Amino acid sequence: MKKVLALLIAVLTIFAFVSCGGDKEAASSSAASTSTTTTTASAAPAKTVTLVLSEVHAEGYPTTLADYEFARLVEERTEGRVKISVYSGGTLYGEETGSIEALQIGDLDFARVSASPVASYVPALNVIQLPYLYRDGDHMWQVLNGPIGQDMLAEIQASGSGLVGLCYYDAGSRNFYTDVPVQGVEDLAGLKIRLQNNAMMVEMVQLLGGNGVTGIGPNEVYSAISQGTIDGAENNWPTYESMGDYEAAPYFILDGHTRVPEILLASEKVISKVSAEDWEIIQQCAKDTQEYEIEQWALREESSREKVVAAGVTVYEPTAEQIAEFQSLMDPLYAKYGAGYEDMIQEIINTGL
Ligand code: BDP
């Protein structure tokens, strides 16, 4: 009886191996970052691909939730032909510049990043993140969902960067936070402020009297402040809270200097890893996660703010005059980074008026 059973198992194993095309890679498909297998579902075997997505934020953060939703939709709508593995918490790339460069050479398939570091590769993107460009979040979304925002998204690929912009996500407004009280431009004088990898943002802080520091990943800000390497940083409520930065820099000034959207990027090389039909599906799935992320964002923005306030953070709300002072100092950035885009900037300002 045992012998019959063993024979049966052996026959079944050989059958399974043959139906996988005897492909060694297929046998270890779950371990590989990008792998292909063949299935026996149809006469013409369909390719199954597992693609990788990098995310700096932790599990449960709005963008991470959107990454998983994207992966879920893609797997569902391609009927399992395309699977996406999400690596959150910066485990693959702690600094977004690293993930962007990996996308360019095809070492990585997707990355959810901030538009700020992408502008180092696609300079036109600086235009949609100029300081004090938008009146509020609704204004920004009208622009991003309109022709200007969509053209900018298309520009990512058109510029020859090797990247494809799939959709935008919300990231609220960015504000300064420090380990000493800051209530106006004068208090930023000489402070070392961590910034994303973007030359325009470094100039922004210089114009405000501070010193911009780049090359520190978002997951390293807390320790850099604690060790005194920097005096503070700038970000939105959810990042300030989730990275624990509020414990090291408990002074938050709601100056709202920028609104920098998030972008879900693909490597252009993904286009040759999937069928034309599946590439269309991938692009549509990304767009279909935008509203979901915006909803998750609104919830988290509120709960993060409540959490840090309850933890004792000092929040300073600048007066309209103080904001006007911040804003007036930004003129040189508009002149430099807005050069050639004057009409577009005016169109952005007029949107929704
Ligand atoms: C957060 C963005 C994240 C950036 C981070 C940063 O969600 O993509 O990496 O800022 O400041 O708001 O580096």
Side-chain angles (χ1 to χ4, degrees):
M1 183 63 194
K2 264 189 191 161
K3 265 189 191 162
V4 177
L5 204 64
L7 196 68
L8 197 68
I9 290 171
V11 168
L12 283 176
T13 311
I14 291 166
F15 179 74
F17 185 71
V18 169
S19 56
C20 271
D23 188 348
K24 267 192 210 144
E25 214 183 297
S28 62
S29 67
S30 59
S33 58
T34 303
S35 59
T36 52
T37 62
T38 48
T39 68
T40 52
S42 63
K47 243 181 167 187
T48 302
V49 185
T50 302
L51 303 172
V52 172
L53 189 157
S54 171
E55 166 66 70
V56 292
H57 286 299
E59 294 290 303
Y61 193 91
T63 54
T64 314
L65 293 173
D67 300 335
Y68 283 113
E69 181 60 3
F70 170 58
R72 190 188 69 77
L73 288 178
V74 168
E75 181 163 359
E76 185 180 287
R77 295 187 193 166
T78 62
E79 295 172 329
R81 292 185 300 278
V82 182
K83 292 188 169 58
I84 298 174
S85 300
V86 175
Y87 288 80
S88 64
T91 44
L92 283 186
Y93 300 92
E95 231 279 317
E96 291 179 347
T97 301
S99 60
I100 294 168
E101 287 172 0
L103 291 174
Q104 288 182 310
I105 56 171
D107 266 5
L108 177 67
D109 302 306
F110 300 100
R112 196 292 312 156
V113 296
S114 162
S116 181
V118 187
S120 303
Y121 304 85
V122 186
L125 278 182
N126 273 321
V127 177
I128 57 160
Q129 51 188 302
L130 277 161
Y132 298 108
L133 180 62
Y134 306 108
R135 292 180 293 281
D136 52 27
D138 284 348
H139 179 201
M140 181 188 78
W141 278 112
Q142 273 185 283
V143 173
L144 296 183
N145 286 333
I148 295 180
Q150 295 307 302
D151 284 354
M152 280 290 175
L153 203 56
E155 174 62 17
I156 296 176
Q157 187 179 7
S159 68
S161 62
L163 309 165
V164 184
L166 296 175
C167 69
Y168 294 111
Y169 289 144
D170 208 351
S173 70
R174 296 180 76 98
N175 308 275
F176 292 109
Y177 51 87
T178 48
D179 57 4
V180 290
V182 169
Q183 300 200 331
V185 175
E186 58 289 350
D187 297 328
L188 284 172
L191 294 189
K192 289 204 251 358
I193 305 291
R194 179 270 175 186
L195 298 166
Q196 293 170 287
N197 253 333
N198 177 316
M200 180 173 85
M201 301 308 175
V202 175
E203 283 176 54
M204 170 184 76
V205 165
Q206 256 162 15
L207 291 166
L208 297 172
N211 297 312
V213 179
T214 57
I216 298 174
N219 296 289
E220 299 161 349
V221 172
Y222 170 85
S223 56
I225 298 173
S226 308
Q227 289 161 10
T229 318
I230 51 173
D231 303 300
E234 46 89 58
N235 222 310
N236 47 45
W237 289 116
T239 301
Y240 180 55
E241 173 261 310
S242 69
M243 300 286 181
D245 298 357
Y246 67 99
E247 291 174 11
Y251 298 97
F252 193 94
I253 173 169
L254 260 175
D255 60 277
H257 51 270
T258 47
R259 276 188 187 272
V260 181
E262 316 279 22
I263 300 183
L264 182 57
L265 288 177
S267 162
E268 212 173 28
K269 297 215 169 13
V270 169
I271 301 172
S272 56
K273 291 186 183 176
V274 298
S275 67
E277 181 201 353
D278 288 346
W279 175 239
E280 285 302 314
I281 293 175
I282 288 172
Q283 292 178 91
Q284 189 56 46
C285 288
K287 294 200 186 312
D288 291 349
T289 57
Q290 184 182 290
E291 279 309 309
Y292 169 74
E293 195 275 349
I294 294 173
E295 279 164 27
Q296 294 300 321
W297 179 261
L299 296 172
R300 183 61 181 259
E301 202 171 37
E302 187 57 21
S303 64
S304 292
R305 190 184 59 78
E306 281 169 9
K307 184 174 167 185
V308 299
V309 167
V313 158
T314 304
V315 180
Y316 181 73
E317 284 199 43
T319 62
E321 289 73 33
Q322 284 176 312
I323 293 286
E325 192 187 354
F326 271 91
Q327 197 168 356
S328 67
L329 291 166
M330 297 296 109
D331 288 349
L333 291 191
Y334 277 70
K336 181 170 173 183
Y337 293 92
Y341 294 97
E342 291 80 2
D343 291 348
M344 187 190 279
I345 291 172
Q346 197 50 54
E347 224 180 295
I348 292 177
I349 293 168
N350 293 344
T351 301
L353 286 182

